[in-house]
Amino acid sequence: MLKQPLDLHAEMNKWKFVIGSWLVFAVILSSIYSGTLLSFLAVPSEPKTVETFEELSEAVARGTHRVYSMKGDNALPFLLHSADTQLQLLGKKMKQNNWLMSADEISKDP
């Protein structure tokens, strides 16, 4: 308790047990709170998300993610004819699995 001495007067002797119990309770409660707070801070709360096309390509190759495009846009031909092999992989997986959606499908089931 901030390194302050605990001076008890002669008439406070009958309250020693209550004050001692309160101090033990306060130490235990603050230790539990600190331990719980540190356990939440030590573990990341959300899994790592995909941020780049390289990570997206790896996730699609593993089968954990899907890549959708709208029917009729130029994303699929761009990916298929790209110089980057990871983008080509995305285009091939989109074509192979028919991951193309119309605007109506997107608006009905996002």
Side-chain angles (χ1 to χ4, degrees):
M1 305 288 204
L2 303 175
K3 298 183 180 182
Q4 297 295 320
L6 184 60
D7 293 332
L8 296 176
H9 302 291
E11 60 270 358
M12 295 293 289
N13 282 337
K14 60 183 176 182
W15 295 100
K16 279 185 180 181
F17 179 75
V18 174
I19 292 172
S21 299
W22 177 256
L23 292 175
V24 170
F25 173 75
V27 167
I28 291 172
L29 193 64
S30 65
S31 298
I32 291 171
Y33 178 77
S34 297
T36 305
L37 180 63
L38 287 175
S39 70
F40 279 113
L41 294 176
V43 177
S45 59
E46 296 181 11
K48 187 177 181 300
T49 59
V50 175
E51 295 179 359
T52 64
F53 281 108
E54 293 173 354
E55 292 174 356
L56 180 61
S57 177
E58 292 171 5
V60 169
R62 283 192 311 262
T64 59
H65 289 72
R66 295 181 180 178
V67 178
Y68 288 97
S69 178
M70 287 188 61
K71 291 179 183 175
D73 68 355
N74 62 353
L76 184 59
F78 172 76
L79 292 173
L80 289 172
H81 300 297
S82 175
D84 189 6
T85 57
Q86 293 175 336
L87 293 179
Q88 288 178 2
L89 174 71
L90 288 175
K92 288 176 186 175
K93 288 288 189 176
M94 286 172 65
K95 187 174 183 180
Q96 175 186 359
N97 296 319
N98 196 25
W99 288 338
L100 301 171
M101 300 180 82
S102 66
D104 292 334
E105 291 173 331
I106 292 174
S107 63
K108 288 179 185 173
D109 187 22

